[in-house]
């Protein structure tokens, strides 16, 4: 089961390790860590978002162990997005507005761009972007790909999909 969890850490060395130990102890697979060190909560703690995969019966134990270690668990919930795909865009990705391309997907509410890797070999040369899109379900993922295809055509970008996917 994929779970998202928001925790708060004291801003002292070793807190992240203390937070990750219960995940290891209960054999949870850590998918993502977003450590917002520049942001502070009203309690002067550092917010951290975790996404992990674990057995449902381990969630309560992980939460209890975190709290035992002095780590505040703010939220625990099932991961909303269940489908994902990696897509490559080739062309003048940056010059045609990468933020606008991302916003077209993100504003849907059922899909979002969760990762971006960009290659820009030179100012006037073609660039490429590897984009990971997460969506609520298969149909919503297909709708997001349809939107990305429309944006790609409008911006004269080549959209490369995995072999077994058709947009």
């Amino acid at each position: 089961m994929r779970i998202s969890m928001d925790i708060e850490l004291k801003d002292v060395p070793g807190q992240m390790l203390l937070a990750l130990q219960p995940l290891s102890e209960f054999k949870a697979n850590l998918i993502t860590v977003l450590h917002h060190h520049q942001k502070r909560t009203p309690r002067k703690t550092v917010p951290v978002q975790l996404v992990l995969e674990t057995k449902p019966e381990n969630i309560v134990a992980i939460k209890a162990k975190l709290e035992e270690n002095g780590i505040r668990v703010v939220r625990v919930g099932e991961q909303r997005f269940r489908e994902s795909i990696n897509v490559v865009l080739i062309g003048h990705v940056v010059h045609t507005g990468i933020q606008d391309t991302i916003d077209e997907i993100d504003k849907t509410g059922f899909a979002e761009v969760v990762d971006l890797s960009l290659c820009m070999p030179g100012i006037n040369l073609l660039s490429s972007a590897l984009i990971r899109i997460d969506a609520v379900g298969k149909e919503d993922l297909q709708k997001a790909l349809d939107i990305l295809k429309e944006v790609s055509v409008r911006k004269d970008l080549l959209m490369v999909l995995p072999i077994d996917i058709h947009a």
Side-chain angles (χ1 to χ4, degrees):
M1 168 183 249
R2 189 170 281 200
I3 297 294
S4 61
M5 182 180 292
D6 294 344
I7 61 175
E8 294 178 2
L9 302 178
K10 296 173 193 160
D11 191 13
V12 295
Q15 287 294 293
M16 183 62 78
L17 181 58
L18 199 58
L20 298 178
Q21 285 174 336
L23 304 182
S24 177
E25 182 179 332
F26 292 97
K27 306 218 182 323
N29 184 25
L30 186 60
I31 307 297
T32 305
V33 176
L34 292 174
H35 183 250
H36 304 284
H37 196 265
Q38 289 76 19
K39 296 181 183 179
R40 294 288 189 272
T41 69
R43 290 168 294 287
K44 306 291 185 226
T45 57
V46 178
V48 176
Q49 296 170 306
L50 305 172
V51 177
L52 55 117
E53 287 180 345
T54 189
K55 295 177 182 174
E57 59 268 19
N58 289 344
I59 297 167
V60 172
I62 290 171
K63 183 177 183 279
K65 188 69 171 178
L66 286 168
E67 290 171 346
E68 181 183 310
N69 289 349
I71 295 166
R72 181 182 169 112
V73 178
V74 179
R75 185 190 61 80
V76 177
E78 193 171 334
Q79 182 71 2
R80 180 174 167 233
F81 297 112
R82 300 195 179 276
E83 299 294 329
S84 69
I85 191 169
N86 289 312
V87 178
V88 175
L89 298 178
I90 301 170
H92 291 288
V93 178
V94 176
H95 292 106
T96 58
I98 188 67
Q99 183 64 52
D100 173 63
T101 303
I102 293 169
D103 289 346
E104 288 289 319
I105 302 297
D106 288 355
K107 74 181 180 183
T108 64
F110 56 75
E112 61 185 38
V113 174
V114 297
D115 196 16
L116 171 70
S117 180
L118 190 62
C119 180
M120 302 181 329
I123 293 175
N124 293 319
L125 300 175
L126 297 179
S127 53
S128 61
L130 174 64
I131 297 176
R132 179 174 165 202
I133 300 171
D134 284 0
V136 175
K138 288 184 188 297
E139 288 181 13
D140 293 318
L141 186 60
Q142 185 58 54
K143 289 179 198 173
L145 288 174
D146 292 343
I147 291 168
L148 188 58
K149 184 177 182 182
E150 290 173 16
V151 170
S152 296
V153 168
R154 187 172 70 239
K155 294 183 175 189
D156 195 29
L157 302 173
L158 174 63
M159 185 170 115
V160 181
L161 296 166
I163 289 176
D164 58 343
I165 303 294
H166 307 302

